[in-house]
Amino acid sequence: MKKFLFFLVLFCVITQPASAALTQADLENIGLIVEDKIKPLKADIETMKADIETMKVDIETMQTDIVSLKIDVAWMRGRFEGIRHQITHVTNLTYGLIALIVAAIAIPQIIMVWRSGKDREQQRMIQELREEIETLKQQRSIVTR
């Protein structure tokens, strides 16, 4: 502990009070040093300002292009909508034509089948009547003999 106090007192005695007085020459030297450090920063700031202005112009150009693209997309959307309506119309027309073609082919076939059934019935009746006529002719010829 005595050693510690001894060294503490020794260090306190050895240290001298610092003088904080700056002369005009010191201030000028500090100013020159700061100025040397600031010059490249000022040049960088000016370059950045020019870059920012260029970017602003580029952004305005992009905004104009985006507005133009929006208009073009809206126009294309309208065209596609019109084409979709036309395709729907043509599809419905095609369905109608298919229905007409089916009707034009199917109705005569149905009529032919119906008539053929009717014709068969008539042929059967004609055949029965012929047979009856033949039997009557035979009976008449037997009776007349």
Side-chain angles (χ1 to χ4, degrees):
M1 180 80 175
K2 286 182 180 183
K3 286 182 184 181
F4 177 71
L5 281 174
F6 175 73
F7 283 113
L8 184 63
V9 171
L10 180 68
F11 287 133
C12 287
V13 170
I14 292 174
T15 58
Q16 297 177 3
S19 65
L22 291 176
T23 63
Q24 187 64 28
D26 292 336
L27 292 175
E28 288 176 6
N29 284 341
I30 293 172
L32 290 174
I33 292 171
V34 169
E35 209 135 325
D36 287 343
K37 298 290 181 181
I38 291 178
K39 279 183 186 177
L41 294 176
K42 284 184 178 179
D44 287 345
I45 289 172
E46 292 302 319
T47 307
M48 286 181 191
K49 284 181 181 179
D51 289 345
I52 289 172
E53 290 301 319
T54 304
M55 286 181 194
K56 284 182 181 178
V57 171
D58 290 345
I59 289 172
E60 288 175 4
T61 304
M62 284 183 203
Q63 286 175 340
T64 304
D65 291 345
I66 289 171
V67 168
S68 174
L69 283 174
K70 284 182 180 179
I71 291 169
D72 290 346
V73 167
W75 180 79
M76 288 301 291
R77 187 174 289 144
R79 293 282 295 166
F80 285 141
E81 193 66 26
I83 290 170
R84 187 179 66 81
H85 286 301
Q86 288 177 353
I87 289 172
T88 303
H89 179 70
V90 168
T91 303
N92 292 337
L93 186 63
T94 304
Y95 290 154
L97 289 174
I98 289 171
L100 285 175
I101 290 170
V102 167
I105 292 172
I107 291 174
Q109 292 296 323
I110 293 170
I111 291 173
M112 285 175 54
V113 168
W114 181 68
R115 281 189 180 172
S116 68
K118 196 174 179 181
D119 287 346
R120 274 190 246 128
E121 181 66 28
Q122 284 180 351
Q123 288 294 334
R124 189 184 59 75
M125 288 178 74
I126 289 172
Q127 186 64 29
E128 286 178 7
L129 289 174
R130 279 187 185 158
E131 289 174 2
E132 194 175 326
I133 290 172
E134 285 298 320
T135 53
L136 287 176
K137 279 185 183 179
Q138 286 177 356
Q139 285 176 359
R140 186 175 170 210
S141 70
I142 292 179
V143 173
T144 54
R145 279 192 202 177

